[in-house]
Amino acid sequence: MLWRTFDKDGDGSVSREEFQRALQSGSVKTEEKKAPEICLQLASTIFRQGKTVLALFEALASAEGRVQWTDFQSLFLQLEPSLSASDLESLWKDFDKDGDGSITKEEFF
């Protein structure tokens, strides 16, 4: 997933240096797919708010450790109100790799 492009040390957060290094190195190729573009936009928003992706997952996940569509949609629209319905659906499909209708921690990262 795109997050791994930024989180080089695998600690679940992205330092300013990791974020800048990924952008400067050209690791993020915005022409590849729409979902990575959206992830980049959201990662930037999360980073500006001083949050980690792990904290985002934990806020979204149910007691079973899975993110459901309604929670995903609601929080991501709060983070980035400019996302269209098709953007959200594209992002959801990219995360929900096994297509079971929920996102596990492994799929999220």
mmCIF file of all heavy atoms in Angstrom, residues 32-64:
data_model
loop_
_atom_site.group_PDB
_atom_site.id
_atom_site.type_symbol
_atom_site.label_atom_id
_atom_site.label_comp_id
_atom_site.label_asym_id
_atom_site.label_seq_id
_atom_site.Cartn_x
_atom_site.Cartn_y
_atom_site.Cartn_z
ATOM 1 N N GLU A 32 -0.206 6.388 -11.712
ATOM 2 C CA GLU A 32 -0.440 4.952 -11.678
ATOM 3 C C GLU A 32 -1.919 4.608 -11.464
ATOM 4 O O GLU A 32 -2.500 3.868 -12.235
ATOM 5 C CB GLU A 32 0.387 4.293 -10.574
ATOM 6 C CG GLU A 32 1.841 4.218 -10.922
ATOM 7 C CD GLU A 32 2.638 3.575 -9.804
ATOM 8 O OE1 GLU A 32 2.059 3.202 -8.779
ATOM 9 O OE2 GLU A 32 3.833 3.467 -9.993
ATOM 10 N N LYS A 33 -2.503 5.115 -10.411
ATOM 11 C CA LYS A 33 -3.891 4.824 -10.071
ATOM 12 C C LYS A 33 -4.461 5.982 -9.274
ATOM 13 O O LYS A 33 -3.726 6.754 -8.679
ATOM 14 C CB LYS A 33 -3.962 3.563 -9.210
ATOM 15 C CG LYS A 33 -3.741 2.278 -9.946
ATOM 16 C CD LYS A 33 -3.674 1.096 -9.018
ATOM 17 C CE LYS A 33 -4.934 0.920 -8.222
ATOM 18 N NZ LYS A 33 -4.899 -0.248 -7.347
ATOM 19 N N LYS A 34 -5.762 6.053 -9.246
ATOM 20 C CA LYS A 34 -6.402 7.119 -8.481
ATOM 21 C C LYS A 34 -6.278 6.893 -6.980
ATOM 22 O O LYS A 34 -6.102 7.838 -6.220
ATOM 23 C CB LYS A 34 -7.866 7.235 -8.877
ATOM 24 C CG LYS A 34 -8.497 8.472 -8.335
ATOM 25 C CD LYS A 34 -9.736 8.829 -9.075
ATOM 26 C CE LYS A 34 -10.133 10.210 -8.636
ATOM 27 N NZ LYS A 34 -10.755 10.990 -9.608
ATOM 28 N N ALA A 35 -6.377 5.650 -6.507
ATOM 29 C CA ALA A 35 -6.313 5.367 -5.071
ATOM 30 C C ALA A 35 -5.028 5.887 -4.434
ATOM 31 O O ALA A 35 -5.086 6.506 -3.377
ATOM 32 C CB ALA A 35 -6.507 3.882 -4.800
ATOM 33 N N PRO A 36 -3.857 5.673 -5.035
ATOM 34 C CA PRO A 36 -2.648 6.245 -4.421
ATOM 35 C C PRO A 36 -2.684 7.766 -4.321
ATOM 36 O O PRO A 36 -2.174 8.330 -3.356
ATOM 37 C CB PRO A 36 -1.522 5.773 -5.333
ATOM 38 C CG PRO A 36 -2.025 4.499 -5.897
ATOM 39 C CD PRO A 36 -3.504 4.758 -6.115
ATOM 40 N N GLU A 37 -3.292 8.421 -5.293
ATOM 41 C CA GLU A 37 -3.422 9.878 -5.219
ATOM 42 C C GLU A 37 -4.248 10.272 -4.004
ATOM 43 O O GLU A 37 -3.913 11.211 -3.283
ATOM 44 C CB GLU A 37 -4.110 10.424 -6.474
ATOM 45 C CG GLU A 37 -3.300 10.329 -7.726
ATOM 46 C CD GLU A 37 -4.095 10.808 -8.926
ATOM 47 O OE1 GLU A 37 -4.974 11.680 -8.772
ATOM 48 O OE2 GLU A 37 -3.848 10.298 -10.017
ATOM 49 N N ILE A 38 -5.322 9.552 -3.798
ATOM 50 C CA ILE A 38 -6.203 9.832 -2.668
ATOM 51 C C ILE A 38 -5.470 9.547 -1.361
ATOM 52 O O ILE A 38 -5.553 10.326 -0.412
ATOM 53 C CB ILE A 38 -7.500 9.011 -2.773
ATOM 54 C CG1 ILE A 38 -8.255 9.383 -4.048
ATOM 55 C CG2 ILE A 38 -8.379 9.226 -1.545
ATOM 56 C CD1 ILE A 38 -9.353 8.411 -4.423
ATOM 57 N N CYS A 39 -4.733 8.443 -1.314
ATOM 58 C CA CYS A 39 -3.965 8.111 -0.107
ATOM 59 C C CYS A 39 -2.948 9.199 0.207
ATOM 60 O O CYS A 39 -2.767 9.558 1.369
ATOM 61 C CB CYS A 39 -3.242 6.772 -0.280
ATOM 62 S SG CYS A 39 -4.317 5.350 -0.128
ATOM 63 N N LEU A 40 -2.306 9.706 -0.790
ATOM 64 C CA LEU A 40 -1.336 10.780 -0.589
ATOM 65 C C LEU A 40 -2.014 12.010 -0.007
ATOM 66 O O LEU A 40 -1.528 12.622 0.944
ATOM 67 C CB LEU A 40 -0.650 11.130 -1.913
ATOM 68 C CG LEU A 40 0.348 12.277 -1.883
ATOM 69 C CD1 LEU A 40 1.478 11.995 -0.906
ATOM 70 C CD2 LEU A 40 0.892 12.526 -3.273
ATOM 71 N N GLN A 41 -3.155 12.349 -0.557
ATOM 72 C CA GLN A 41 -3.930 13.493 -0.080
ATOM 73 C C GLN A 41 -4.333 13.288 1.385
ATOM 74 O O GLN A 41 -4.184 14.173 2.219
ATOM 75 C CB GLN A 41 -5.167 13.636 -0.966
ATOM 76 C CG GLN A 41 -6.001 14.843 -0.742
ATOM 77 C CD GLN A 41 -7.143 14.898 -1.773
ATOM 78 O OE1 GLN A 41 -7.245 14.096 -2.690
ATOM 79 N NE2 GLN A 41 -8.007 15.864 -1.601
ATOM 80 N N LEU A 42 -4.810 12.086 1.715
ATOM 81 C CA LEU A 42 -5.230 11.796 3.078
ATOM 82 C C LEU A 42 -4.039 11.717 4.026
ATOM 83 O O LEU A 42 -4.123 12.188 5.165
ATOM 84 C CB LEU A 42 -6.028 10.494 3.119
ATOM 85 C CG LEU A 42 -7.406 10.582 2.496
ATOM 86 C CD1 LEU A 42 -7.998 9.192 2.319
ATOM 87 C CD2 LEU A 42 -8.325 11.446 3.337
ATOM 88 N N ALA A 43 -2.933 11.130 3.580
ATOM 89 C CA ALA A 43 -1.731 11.056 4.419
ATOM 90 C C ALA A 43 -1.258 12.450 4.783
ATOM 91 O O ALA A 43 -0.856 12.709 5.920
ATOM 92 C CB ALA A 43 -0.635 10.280 3.696
ATOM 93 N N SER A 44 -1.330 13.347 3.836
ATOM 94 C CA SER A 44 -0.933 14.727 4.089
ATOM 95 C C SER A 44 -1.849 15.364 5.137
ATOM 96 O O SER A 44 -1.373 16.046 6.054
ATOM 97 C CB SER A 44 -0.985 15.513 2.780
ATOM 98 O OG SER A 44 -0.664 16.854 3.000
ATOM 99 N N THR A 45 -3.139 15.127 5.015
ATOM 100 C CA THR A 45 -4.101 15.666 5.979
ATOM 101 C C THR A 45 -3.843 15.090 7.366
ATOM 102 O O THR A 45 -3.817 15.826 8.358
ATOM 103 C CB THR A 45 -5.545 15.348 5.538
ATOM 104 O OG1 THR A 45 -5.775 15.936 4.260
ATOM 105 C CG2 THR A 45 -6.558 15.864 6.529
ATOM 106 N N ILE A 46 -3.644 13.786 7.438
ATOM 107 C CA ILE A 46 -3.378 13.120 8.713
ATOM 108 C C ILE A 46 -2.102 13.666 9.331
ATOM 109 O O ILE A 46 -2.042 13.966 10.519
ATOM 110 C CB ILE A 46 -3.291 11.591 8.511
ATOM 111 C CG1 ILE A 46 -4.657 11.038 8.125
ATOM 112 C CG2 ILE A 46 -2.762 10.907 9.762
ATOM 113 C CD1 ILE A 46 -4.603 9.631 7.578
ATOM 114 N N PHE A 47 -1.070 13.805 8.517
ATOM 115 C CA PHE A 47 0.216 14.308 8.986
ATOM 116 C C PHE A 47 0.086 15.728 9.536
ATOM 117 O O PHE A 47 0.618 16.045 10.599
ATOM 118 C CB PHE A 47 1.228 14.259 7.832
ATOM 119 C CG PHE A 47 2.598 14.713 8.219
ATOM 120 C CD1 PHE A 47 3.405 13.928 9.013
ATOM 121 C CD2 PHE A 47 3.079 15.938 7.785
ATOM 122 C CE1 PHE A 47 4.674 14.351 9.364
ATOM 123 C CE2 PHE A 47 4.338 16.373 8.127
ATOM 124 C CZ PHE A 47 5.146 15.569 8.924
ATOM 125 N N ARG A 48 -0.640 16.576 8.836
ATOM 126 C CA ARG A 48 -0.840 17.965 9.294
ATOM 127 C C ARG A 48 -1.554 18.023 10.638
ATOM 128 O O ARG A 48 -1.348 18.944 11.420
ATOM 129 C CB ARG A 48 -1.630 18.766 8.261
ATOM 130 C CG ARG A 48 -0.815 19.242 7.089
ATOM 131 C CD ARG A 48 -1.567 20.286 6.261
ATOM 132 N NE ARG A 48 -2.937 19.945 5.931
ATOM 133 C CZ ARG A 48 -3.329 19.278 4.843
ATOM 134 N NH1 ARG A 48 -2.437 18.878 3.972
ATOM 135 N NH2 ARG A 48 -4.602 19.039 4.621
ATOM 136 N N GLN A 49 -2.413 17.048 10.895
ATOM 137 C CA GLN A 49 -3.152 17.011 12.145
ATOM 138 C C GLN A 49 -2.366 16.343 13.269
ATOM 139 O O GLN A 49 -2.870 16.219 14.386
ATOM 140 C CB GLN A 49 -4.487 16.293 11.948
ATOM 141 C CG GLN A 49 -5.430 17.044 11.037
ATOM 142 C CD GLN A 49 -6.736 16.295 10.825
ATOM 143 O OE1 GLN A 49 -6.974 15.218 11.350
ATOM 144 N NE2 GLN A 49 -7.609 16.877 10.026
ATOM 145 N N GLY A 50 -1.150 15.901 12.969
ATOM 146 C CA GLY A 50 -0.315 15.277 13.983
ATOM 147 C C GLY A 50 -0.774 13.885 14.381
ATOM 148 O O GLY A 50 -0.474 13.413 15.473
ATOM 149 N N LYS A 51 -1.483 13.212 13.500
ATOM 150 C CA LYS A 51 -1.988 11.872 13.784
ATOM 151 C C LYS A 51 -1.158 10.828 13.051
ATOM 152 O O LYS A 51 -0.438 11.145 12.117
ATOM 153 C CB LYS A 51 -3.453 11.752 13.360
ATOM 154 C CG LYS A 51 -4.363 12.685 14.121
ATOM 155 C CD LYS A 51 -5.784 12.574 13.652
ATOM 156 C CE LYS A 51 -6.661 13.562 14.403
ATOM 157 N NZ LYS A 51 -8.024 13.587 13.897
ATOM 158 N N THR A 52 -1.293 9.589 13.480
ATOM 159 C CA THR A 52 -0.641 8.479 12.790
ATOM 160 C C THR A 52 -1.691 7.651 12.067
ATOM 161 O O THR A 52 -2.883 7.716 12.398
ATOM 162 C CB THR A 52 0.106 7.561 13.776
ATOM 163 O OG1 THR A 52 -0.858 6.913 14.618
ATOM 164 C CG2 THR A 52 1.120 8.328 14.600
ATOM 165 N N VAL A 53 -1.251 6.855 11.129
ATOM 166 C CA VAL A 53 -2.170 5.977 10.417
ATOM 167 C C VAL A 53 -2.684 4.897 11.362
ATOM 168 O O VAL A 53 -3.837 4.485 11.273
ATOM 169 C CB VAL A 53 -1.497 5.367 9.171
ATOM 170 C CG1 VAL A 53 -2.384 4.317 8.528
ATOM 171 C CG2 VAL A 53 -1.193 6.458 8.175
ATOM 172 N N LEU A 54 -1.855 4.456 12.282
ATOM 173 C CA LEU A 54 -2.302 3.471 13.268
ATOM 174 C C LEU A 54 -3.450 4.042 14.095
ATOM 175 O O LEU A 54 -4.461 3.366 14.317
ATOM 176 C CB LEU A 54 -1.152 3.044 14.177
ATOM 177 C CG LEU A 54 -1.508 2.032 15.257
ATOM 178 C CD1 LEU A 54 -2.083 0.762 14.643
ATOM 179 C CD2 LEU A 54 -0.287 1.713 16.111
ATOM 180 N N ALA A 55 -3.329 5.279 14.522
ATOM 181 C CA ALA A 55 -4.403 5.921 15.286
ATOM 182 C C ALA A 55 -5.669 6.027 14.433
ATOM 183 O O ALA A 55 -6.781 5.839 14.938
ATOM 184 C CB ALA A 55 -3.970 7.299 15.769
ATOM 185 N N LEU A 56 -5.498 6.304 13.152
ATOM 186 C CA LEU A 56 -6.647 6.373 12.244
ATOM 187 C C LEU A 56 -7.324 5.007 12.156
ATOM 188 O O LEU A 56 -8.542 4.907 12.266
ATOM 189 C CB LEU A 56 -6.200 6.836 10.857
ATOM 190 C CG LEU A 56 -7.269 6.870 9.779
ATOM 191 C CD1 LEU A 56 -8.356 7.880 10.124
ATOM 192 C CD2 LEU A 56 -6.650 7.207 8.434
ATOM 193 N N PHE A 57 -6.528 3.953 11.971
ATOM 194 C CA PHE A 57 -7.107 2.609 11.900
ATOM 195 C C PHE A 57 -7.853 2.277 13.189
ATOM 196 O O PHE A 57 -8.976 1.784 13.158
ATOM 197 C CB PHE A 57 -6.039 1.543 11.624
ATOM 198 C CG PHE A 57 -6.617 0.160 11.593
ATOM 199 C CD1 PHE A 57 -7.247 -0.304 10.450
ATOM 200 C CD2 PHE A 57 -6.584 -0.651 12.721
ATOM 201 C CE1 PHE A 57 -7.822 -1.573 10.426
ATOM 202 C CE2 PHE A 57 -7.154 -1.913 12.704
ATOM 203 C CZ PHE A 57 -7.780 -2.376 11.559
ATOM 204 N N GLU A 58 -7.228 2.552 14.319
ATOM 205 C CA GLU A 58 -7.854 2.233 15.605
ATOM 206 C C GLU A 58 -9.151 3.005 15.810
ATOM 207 O O GLU A 58 -10.091 2.494 16.413
ATOM 208 C CB GLU A 58 -6.864 2.469 16.739
ATOM 209 C CG GLU A 58 -5.749 1.441 16.727
ATOM 210 C CD GLU A 58 -4.618 1.736 17.692
ATOM 211 O OE1 GLU A 58 -4.557 2.869 18.240
ATOM 212 O OE2 GLU A 58 -3.775 0.840 17.879
ATOM 213 N N ALA A 59 -9.209 4.227 15.310
ATOM 214 C CA ALA A 59 -10.439 5.018 15.414
ATOM 215 C C ALA A 59 -11.547 4.424 14.540
ATOM 216 O O ALA A 59 -12.730 4.513 14.877
ATOM 217 C CB ALA A 59 -10.175 6.465 15.009
ATOM 218 N N LEU A 60 -11.160 3.820 13.442
ATOM 219 C CA LEU A 60 -12.132 3.255 12.502
ATOM 220 C C LEU A 60 -12.553 1.825 12.835
ATOM 221 O O LEU A 60 -13.676 1.428 12.553
ATOM 222 C CB LEU A 60 -11.544 3.239 11.092
ATOM 223 C CG LEU A 60 -11.437 4.552 10.359
ATOM 224 C CD1 LEU A 60 -10.586 4.387 9.109
ATOM 225 C CD2 LEU A 60 -12.807 5.060 9.997
ATOM 226 N N ALA A 61 -11.653 1.055 13.396
ATOM 227 C CA ALA A 61 -11.867 -0.385 13.554
ATOM 228 C C ALA A 61 -12.890 -0.708 14.637
ATOM 229 O O ALA A 61 -12.961 -0.043 15.667
ATOM 230 C CB ALA A 61 -10.546 -1.077 13.861
ATOM 231 N N SER A 62 -13.622 -1.755 14.386
ATOM 232 C CA SER A 62 -14.579 -2.264 15.362
ATOM 233 C C SER A 62 -13.817 -3.086 16.400
ATOM 234 O O SER A 62 -12.603 -3.266 16.304
ATOM 235 C CB SER A 62 -15.604 -3.157 14.656
ATOM 236 O OG SER A 62 -14.948 -4.297 14.112
ATOM 237 N N ALA A 63 -14.537 -3.620 17.358
ATOM 238 C CA ALA A 63 -13.921 -4.460 18.387
ATOM 239 C C ALA A 63 -13.258 -5.694 17.769
ATOM 240 O O ALA A 63 -12.307 -6.235 18.327
ATOM 241 C CB ALA A 63 -14.970 -4.884 19.412
ATOM 242 N N GLU A 64 -13.743 -6.103 16.611
ATOM 243 C CA GLU A 64 -13.169 -7.265 15.920
ATOM 244 C C GLU A 64 -11.920 -6.907 15.118
ATOM 245 O O GLU A 64 -11.335 -7.751 14.460
ATOM 246 C CB GLU A 64 -14.200 -7.909 14.980
ATOM 247 C CG GLU A 64 -15.404 -8.504 15.681
ATOM 248 C CD GLU A 64 -16.463 -7.456 16.009
ATOM 249 O OE1 GLU A 64 -16.635 -6.495 15.232
ATOM 250 O OE2 GLU A 64 -17.110 -7.593 17.056
#
